[in-house]
Amino acid sequence: MLAVGLVKSLEGMKLPFGIEVVGFSEEEGVRFGVPFIGSRALVGRVDEELLGRKDEQGVSVRKAIQDLG
């Protein structure tokens, strides 16, 4: 929310660069026991081991991502 507030505080100011705000869920690693899944995906650091990790219901990271579309 801090990033959104900071961008809003610019009040339309023109900058010589673009700003993108990205929000992730499950960055704490509660569901799959590994943190920063969304951040890792953004920077290209997702591997087969991560995608194969499963939650308590047996749903893999890969399946959860597919289900979200």
Side-chain angles (χ1 to χ4, degrees):
M1 295 308 302
L2 178 61
V4 172
L6 289 170
V7 170
K8 185 176 178 182
S9 74
L10 295 172
E11 297 180 353
M13 182 187 312
K14 299 291 181 187
L15 302 171
F17 51 84
I19 297 175
E20 295 184 29
V21 175
V22 180
F24 300 105
S25 65
E26 189 49 35
E27 288 295 275
E28 296 82 14
V30 175
R31 180 174 178 185
F32 295 100
V34 62
F36 309 120
I37 295 172
S39 300
R40 291 177 194 202
L42 184 67
V43 298
R45 302 278 316 258
V46 174
D47 58 20
E48 287 301 316
E49 186 277 326
L50 176 62
L51 292 172
R53 290 187 70 99
K54 294 184 178 180
D55 65 11
E56 291 180 358
Q57 286 74 42
V59 177
S60 69
V61 171
R62 174 181 277 113
K63 178 72 171 135
I65 291 170
Q66 289 171 341
D67 289 350
L68 286 171

